Amino acid sequence: MTAPTVSVIIAAYNSMPYLTRCVSSAVEQSIGRENLEVIVVDDGSTDGTAAELERLSSLHPGLLQVVRQVNSGGPSAPRNVGLDRARGRFVFFLDADDYLGPEALERMVRAAEQNGTDIVLGRMVGVGGRGAPTSMFRRSQPRTDVFSSRVYWTLNPMKLFRRDLLERHGLRFPTDLTIGEDQLFVGAAYLKASGISVVADYDCLFWVLRDDGANITRRTSSSEVRMRFLPRVVDMVLENTSPGPGRDHLAHRHLTVDVWELLADQWVFEPRGIQQKMLAQLSEAVEPLWHEGMNERLSAMARLRLHLIRHRMLDELLKVVEFEKEISRSKAATPVVVDEGRAYAHYPYLRDPARAIPDSCYDVTAQLGTRHHVTRAELSEAVLHLAGHAYLHRVETRSVTTELILRERDTAVEYRLPVTHTATPGLGAEADEGRFTYDLAGFEAAVDITTAADGGPLGDGLWDLYLSVGAQGISKEVRIGAKRAEGVSARPSTYLVDVDGVLRSLTLYATKPYGNFTLDLGERKHKVLPRLSLDGIGWAAGAPTELEITGRCALDGYPDGALKVVLDDDRGGTVSFVTRQAADGRFVVRVPVRELAVGVWGGELRIGSWALPLPQVPRSLPPAKWRRRALPWYAEPVRDAGDRFALLVARAGLVRGLAGPGT
């Protein structure tokens, strides 16, 4: 019998009515039944699970295998039984509450085979209010690992595994754990895998919150039971990694997510004796992972938690956990204390002399957010006008030092320019329940590109716009433009400006997809010539000896008289004619041909150093005729000029050879 491509393994315990949708989503996968086997292990269910599995088995003979066993008390044993029976090149573990997107397995297998990877994560979607992990699914990743991505932040087993990986390393779920068993299995598989793929452009797994809240991961409430897995996970990390940034990356997950879940769950309700016992165990467990060099990776709250755990400060830890729960419920931002250019969160026991907790446990300077809003961003010839407001979240706008930064994208050359600080009374009253005010957060700036480079003109390049937002000795940079008033246009606006007698192209535009503002100086992304077009040549109405040339200029501005038609003849003569602007960028040029010297004239539309050749004079255009000093003259198209502009001006009776053969 040919081995299937994928074995789907479902551990089921009292899984009705969710089981029906789960199994149906597996057997109906687009990868095809011939490439599938579905193994459901009923772990001693007492509801209608057994009967439903019998019904489903009769509907899908040869595809659905059902195994029944006495209840094992957790998901490990049924998953292991399924894994022992699996024959597929790949296995996918699916909880009986959840279900797959129709193309999930096909897409994940393709990712594994194309990239030679051992594990594939498919994007997860929460259903019924269940929160699904998101940080690792921001983009698809053909090939990555646990040290250079966020995949380690999801340690549930609902992933595609190459079965050979699991068999070579003898990986099975530990049956002595009823919670956290998946972390030991998946963590070890991650660390031994030859590459991991992430499919983020398709909803592969739907993660369901049961109406009765009885998901497998939620059954166990005893904090002592929950505590058992963490020391073993720590040992797994220590055994499979060396000290350094890689280990710290994995430790970050356990020191934040797992520690918080252990503290915030049943532990706070346990008798004091159990709390003390668990705190001692937790202190011993985290000690090998946490060192001072990791502090920049950790939030201030995580640092405070770990400090209290390390020093086994039970009462303080209980208060901090309750404080954190409260701010999570209220979604309220914690006030900060600013001192000598650093910001410290007003968490419990800040600078309490009786506890002597280091300031570093409260330092949120790196975590402060910047908030900005642009109310004006426009060019007026060579001057960029900006206005809006910007502030550091939770830091009052005293001793404000905000500056505008122009930074060239490729070279990182930058110029810092002053802004005018303006009053913003009442700003902040509608956010954070009004507990912070920012009365001097406004800014205005007028940047002349002819003097912005320390008194000289800016060079060509893409100049991204930043604010260095500063107050009370703290400053942080932010790109500006993504947050702007409705009337502030994101449409590129291009001007030709006079810099030391030379016209230069200047475009203000908003980048995609984020909408931040950039100045394009020198046509790096926005070309001038495509904004010029010519659409008509003919004799002017009521003026039969004036050649009328029409077109459109989509530039937003340029010096008066800069846009012109320039004609040159075959004898070295040159004349120019300035355009007359009309509405919507339209322009017209009148060329009085009776003033042209005898000869064949070519021409172009010119503005500064940019030139657009004039199109061919229509061959159907009749000659223009006039008299000069009583002698007959005429102007007509040159018939064999191809697609170039060529106009013959001559006196009637002169040798037609002036225009070459065929005229």
Side-chain angles (χ1 to χ4, degrees):
M1 182 182 296
T2 303
T5 302
V6 185
S7 299
V8 179
I9 299 169
I10 303 171
Y13 174 73
N14 287 355
S15 303
M16 292 301 293
Y18 307 95
L19 179 66
T20 306
R21 180 171 57 185
C22 172
V23 172
S24 298
S25 76
V27 299
E28 296 170 1
Q29 284 291 296
S30 63
I31 199 171
R33 295 185 172 217
E34 67 279 6
N35 294 309
L36 273 176
E37 67 174 2
V38 180
I39 304 169
V40 185
V41 181
D42 179 4
D43 196 39
S45 297
T46 58
D47 64 351
T49 293
E52 178 63 2
L53 285 175
E54 186 173 339
R55 185 186 74 83
L56 291 170
S57 181
S58 67
L59 292 177
H60 307 288
L63 174 60
L64 179 62
Q65 299 179 44
V66 178
V67 181
R68 294 185 176 86
Q69 63 180 35
V70 176
N71 181 253
S72 65
S76 290
R79 287 173 183 157
N80 288 343
V81 168
L83 185 53
D84 289 341
R85 288 176 170 252
R87 296 180 300 114
R89 289 204 317 280
F90 300 93
V91 296
F92 188 94
F93 296 99
L94 180 62
D95 279 356
D97 317 301
D98 307 324
Y99 59 98
L100 293 167
E103 301 174 16
L105 296 181
E106 181 181 2
R107 288 172 179 256
M108 286 191 283
V109 167
R110 184 187 308 135
E113 292 181 334
Q114 288 180 348
N115 301 296
T117 47
D118 285 338
I119 303 176
V120 182
L121 285 67
R123 186 171 68 196
M124 305 174 69
V125 179
V127 178
R130 190 171 191 182
T134 59
S135 63
M136 64 294 303
F137 295 119
R138 288 177 183 144
R139 60 182 178 84
S140 292
Q141 299 176 72
R143 189 178 183 89
T144 188
D145 57 46
V146 290
F147 303 114
S148 53
S149 71
R150 290 279 294 184
V151 298
Y152 196 72
W153 265 249
T154 173
L155 289 171
N156 71 70
M158 273 71 82
K159 297 164 179 61
L160 188 78
F161 298 87
R162 197 177 293 270
R163 190 164 64 90
D164 176 65
L165 167 73
L166 307 180
E167 300 303 337
R168 274 188 290 114
H169 296 285
L171 296 180
R172 292 296 187 270
F173 293 88
T175 56
D176 60 332
L177 294 176
T178 55
I179 195 164
E181 80 294 333
D182 48 0
Q183 292 201 22
L184 287 166
F185 177 87
V186 176
Y190 276 158
L191 290 164
K192 296 179 185 300
S194 175
I196 301 167
S197 296
V198 177
V199 175
D201 57 354
Y202 183 77
D203 294 340
C204 293
L205 177 69
F206 293 85
W207 219 24
V208 179
L209 178 64
R210 288 174 56 146
D211 293 338
D212 58 5
N215 298 76
I216 289 174
T217 56
R218 293 171 175 261
R219 291 179 193 163
T220 305
S221 59
S222 167
S223 53
E224 289 185 290
V225 172
R226 295 181 68 88
M227 183 63 209
R228 289 176 192 162
F229 81 92
L230 185 59
R232 289 169 62 175
V233 170
V234 171
D235 287 342
M236 177 197 71
V237 172
L238 296 176
E239 290 168 7
N240 289 277
T241 63
S242 300
R247 176 182 288 181
D248 292 347
H249 183 66
L250 308 189
H252 185 194
R253 191 247 192 239
H254 298 300
L255 293 173
T256 53
V257 177
D258 292 332
V259 167
W260 168 246
E261 289 180 350
L262 283 166
L263 295 177
D265 199 29
Q266 182 64 23
W267 178 76
V268 296
F269 305 109
E270 299 281 9
R272 188 171 182 84
I274 292 178
Q275 289 177 338
Q276 290 173 328
K277 177 184 175 181
M278 279 194 59
L279 180 55
Q281 293 175 344
L282 186 55
S283 178
E284 292 175 2
V286 303
E287 187 65 29
L289 294 184
W290 183 41
H291 56 86
E292 293 301 314
M294 286 192 65
N295 282 347
E296 289 187 2
R297 293 174 176 261
L298 301 172
S299 68
M301 182 60 80
R303 279 180 250 133
L304 177 58
R305 266 192 248 122
L306 291 169
H307 176 87
L308 299 176
I309 291 168
R310 172 175 283 172
H311 294 276
R312 305 187 186 186
M313 300 169 71
L314 177 58
D315 292 331
E316 291 83 355
L317 184 58
L318 287 168
K319 182 172 181 178
V320 165
V321 169
E322 182 55 38
F323 173 82
E324 193 169 359
K325 285 184 173 182
E326 176 56 35
I327 61 175
S328 178
R329 284 191 294 266
S330 66
K331 296 181 170 51
T334 306
V336 299
V337 174
V338 178
D339 185 12
E340 295 184 354
R342 307 298 297 178
Y344 304 99
H346 217 297
Y347 298 153
Y349 311 111
L350 172 65
R351 294 182 170 175
D352 182 336
R355 272 81 178 185
I357 300 171
D359 279 356
S360 60
C361 292
Y362 299 88
D363 194 328
V364 293
T365 309
Q367 297 168 251
L368 293 175
T370 56
R371 297 183 176 179
H372 85 277
H373 191 71
V374 177
T375 57
R376 184 185 184 190
E378 61 183 352
L379 288 173
S380 176
E381 297 181 350
V383 179
L384 168 66
H385 295 277
L386 292 172
H389 68 252
Y391 58 88
L392 300 171
H393 184 216
R394 299 185 284 169
V395 177
E396 290 186 8
T397 50
R398 291 186 283 110
S399 304
V400 177
T401 57
T402 297
E403 296 177 297
L404 177 67
I405 303 174
L406 303 182
R407 180 174 297 138
E408 208 286 314
R409 189 176 302 171
D410 295 330
T411 64
V413 170
E414 70 174 39
Y415 298 100
R416 291 177 175 258
L417 304 168
V419 302
T420 300
H421 302 122
T422 59
T424 50
L427 184 62
E430 297 181 1
D432 301 310
E433 299 179 347
R435 59 177 71 184
F436 308 110
T437 57
Y438 312 96
D439 290 338
L440 193 62
F443 68 89
E444 293 179 352
V447 181
D448 189 334
I449 69 139
T450 66
T451 59
D454 293 336
L458 281 179
D460 288 350
L462 296 175
W463 295 89
D464 296 324
L465 306 186
Y466 294 80
L467 285 176
S468 174
V469 185
Q472 300 187 59
I474 302 174
S475 63
K476 301 193 80 171
E477 287 186 12
V478 61
R479 284 284 305 272
I480 62 171
K483 306 294 185 182
R484 57 180 180 268
E486 186 174 340
V488 178
S489 175
R491 180 187 68 84
S493 57
T494 299
Y495 286 75
L496 297 186
V497 298
D498 189 330
V499 181
D500 295 333
V502 177
L503 287 190
R504 295 175 65 190
S505 170
L506 176 64
T507 301
L508 175 66
Y509 72 101
T511 61
K512 294 181 180 180
Y514 302 110
N516 293 312
F517 284 123
T518 295
L519 283 175
D520 178 358
L521 190 55
E523 296 185 284
R524 293 298 172 88
K525 286 184 175 292
H526 301 83
K527 304 300 182 183
V528 169
L529 281 179
R531 294 173 175 266
L532 303 176
S533 59
L534 293 156
D535 54 21
I537 295 181
W539 301 120
T545 62
E546 291 192 8
L547 191 65
E548 186 174 82
I549 302 170
T550 59
R552 186 172 185 273
C553 175
L555 297 169
D556 293 271
Y558 51 86
D560 289 342
L563 184 63
K564 61 187 69 175
V565 166
V566 179
L567 302 183
D568 51 66
D569 67 14
D570 52 0
R571 300 183 181 185
T574 299
V575 292
S576 61
F577 305 89
V578 176
T579 63
R580 298 201 305 272
Q581 290 293 117
D584 194 28
R586 307 296 302 178
F587 66 81
V588 62
V589 180
R590 292 281 188 91
V591 177
V593 296
R594 64 189 303 158
E595 297 178 9
L596 297 178
V598 64
V600 176
W601 292 84
E604 59 190 15
L605 181 69
R606 188 181 298 172
I607 185 167
S609 61
W610 294 272
L612 183 67
L614 296 179
Q616 180 186 42
V617 182
R619 294 183 180 180
S620 59
L621 193 70
K625 299 178 181 179
W626 68 92
R627 301 187 75 82
R628 184 186 300 169
R629 295 178 182 175
L631 297 176
W633 287 69
Y634 67 94
E636 66 178 7
V638 176
R639 305 300 178 187
D640 62 350
D643 59 358
R644 68 184 181 91
F645 178 92
L647 183 73
L648 170 65
V649 176
R651 195 180 73 196
L654 283 181
V655 178
R656 289 267 185 160
L658 281 172
T663 60

